[in-house]
Amino acid sequence: MNGNVIDGKAVAAKIREETAAKVAELKAKYGKVPGLAVVIVGERKDSQTYVRMKKKACEEVGIASFGADLPESATQAEVLAVVAAFNANPDVHGILVQLPLPKHIDEQAVLGAISVEKDVDGFHPLNIGRLAMKGREPLFTPCTPLGCMVLLERCGIPIKGRRAVVVGRSNIVGMPAALLLNKRDATVTVVHSATPKAEAEAICRQADIIIAAAGQAQLVRGSWVKPGAAIIDVGTNPIDDKTKASGYRLVGDAHFDECKAVAGAITPVPGGVGPMTIAILLRNTAESGERFLTGAVKVSGAEKKQERKGLAKLLPTREQLASPLPVLAAAVGVAAGAVLQRATAGRR
């Protein structure tokens, strides 16, 4: 930290360094490295930029990079076929589908088709379901929310027993962040677009930790912040700025200057959460590669066999079948991921 400003770049650099060391260790021991496949559909410039950044990041830590660049006109069947091919490729240990997808493609169907053992983005319903369950852990956790937790932990900011408020309820950040905070024994409240603004402000003022992920520029003001609170700002919003050559600058969902004057710790935008997202993606991929290379996950030539193995991990054991309650809990967990994704799709 620099004063009360959290240096996300420094933390992300450390994670990349750790990941590069893990990849080198796997290569020395098994003669192979983890592989990440990125699927992009369409020609959105922002998506193409993100994909290039991910490929470059893979190269820097020694992860093998695979890709499929499909046109905007690609059918859902074509996208699913590409995902199936990567599911069956033994050199690919992580699959990421760049969002958003074109409107004619069912995003949930595509994300659900990714093998749960290769879901390094953490959005498969089975991974989200396990994240929602007490006493269970997902194979992978969504990268940005996990990055938020890592920033808190590596900066020595306590979570257990603290009041935490998540501003926003998106599938990508808000909801998983709330689940992660709950798993770390915080008392969690979610405020969102249907929460009256005055009420949202009052709730935030009670928080020891605020995760700002509403997608609204400078929503969280200094008056919303309890003195000494930690603010993790996930927002990246362009606002007009004639002093910049581009004509704009990026700001977060929290008003940085106002909140910095009150908070005990705060992430800047840019340079806070952003670098963590790719760093966690690389770490997830390295961990997945390690599972495959050590035999913790058995490689199957067929996607359906892989999916059955992934599902089997979430179903009750023979011993659990003796009691109806664990069976019910397992069934609820499997369903929870899909319900959370569909119920909150597109909402903040």
Side-chain angles (χ1 to χ4, degrees):
M1 293 178 64
N2 297 320
N4 67 338
V5 178
I6 296 172
D7 189 345
K9 290 181 179 179
V11 178
K14 181 62 176 174
I15 291 172
R16 288 190 186 214
E17 180 184 324
E18 295 164 358
T19 301
K22 171 60 68 177
V23 171
E25 179 186 329
L26 292 171
K27 184 176 182 179
K29 190 171 183 179
Y30 300 101
K32 293 184 177 181
V33 298
L36 174 66
V38 179
V39 180
I40 182 171
V41 184
E43 299 176 355
R44 284 178 58 113
K45 290 184 178 179
D46 56 346
S47 292
Q48 290 175 338
T49 299
Y50 294 146
V51 169
R52 282 195 299 272
M53 290 170 59
K54 289 165 184 173
K55 288 181 178 178
K56 184 174 183 291
C58 284
E59 292 173 4
E60 290 173 351
V61 300
I63 290 174
S65 183
F66 301 81
D69 193 343
L70 302 178
E72 183 86 16
S73 59
T75 66
Q76 181 166 309
E78 289 171 333
V79 177
L80 291 173
V82 168
V83 170
F86 284 137
N87 280 338
N89 186 336
D91 294 324
V92 172
H93 308 110
I95 302 171
L96 181 150
V97 175
Q98 185 66 42
L99 302 178
L101 291 170
K103 292 182 180 179
H104 65 278
I105 295 175
D106 184 344
E107 182 177 293
Q108 299 307 314
V110 172
L111 295 179
I114 297 172
S115 170
V116 68
E117 290 99 344
K118 297 186 178 185
D119 174 40
V120 289
D121 234 4
F123 292 135
H124 192 289
L126 296 181
N127 277 321
I128 294 293
R130 287 179 72 92
L131 184 61
M133 294 180 70
K134 185 177 180 179
R136 301 290 183 90
E137 293 297 331
L139 289 174
F140 303 101
T141 301
C143 301
T144 300
L146 182 55
C148 295
M149 299 305 112
V150 172
L151 284 175
L152 290 169
E153 290 163 353
R154 296 211 177 191
C155 290
I157 297 168
I159 301 174
K160 185 175 181 177
R162 299 302 198 270
R163 287 179 175 268
V165 173
V166 179
V167 184
R169 56 180 174 182
S170 70
N171 289 334
I172 295 174
V173 182
M175 292 304 291
L179 293 172
L180 281 167
L181 287 163
N182 186 61
K183 272 189 176 293
R184 285 160 173 75
D185 295 323
T187 301
V188 186
T189 303
V190 178
V191 300
H192 45 75
S193 56
T195 307
K197 193 168 183 178
E199 188 174 334
E201 179 177 351
I203 292 170
C204 285
R205 240 189 334 260
Q206 301 175 42
D208 301 299
I209 298 168
I210 297 174
I211 308 290
Q216 186 172 334
Q218 300 179 330
L219 172 67
V220 178
R221 311 294 296 206
S223 61
W224 291 34
V225 181
K226 174 182 174 181
I231 302 173
I232 304 297
D233 193 346
V234 183
T236 305
N237 310 285
I239 63 170
D240 292 337
D241 187 341
K242 294 180 180 179
T243 67
K244 303 292 184 182
S246 61
Y248 70 90
R249 62 187 172 94
L250 296 178
V251 300
D253 288 356
H255 192 293
F256 183 76
D257 291 335
E258 289 184 7
C259 293
K260 179 177 179 290
V262 184
I266 186 171
T267 58
V269 177
V273 174
M276 293 296 296
T277 299
I278 292 181
I280 297 296
L281 173 65
L282 298 174
R283 190 174 79 173
N284 280 356
T285 302
E287 290 176 355
S288 181
E290 184 174 27
R291 290 191 193 111
F292 277 92
L293 295 175
T294 59
V297 173
K298 300 299 181 183
V299 179
S300 169
E303 174 193 3
K304 289 185 178 179
K305 289 183 180 179
Q306 284 187 332
E307 284 304 313
R308 283 199 295 270
K309 288 179 182 178
L311 182 59
K313 295 177 182 178
L314 304 184
L315 295 178
T317 63
R318 186 182 299 274
E319 291 76 14
Q320 288 174 324
L321 289 171
S323 170
L325 290 179
V327 176
L328 177 60
V332 170
V334 171
V339 171
L340 278 172
Q341 286 191 332
R342 294 188 181 278
T344 64
R347 302 173 66 190
R348 294 190 179 275

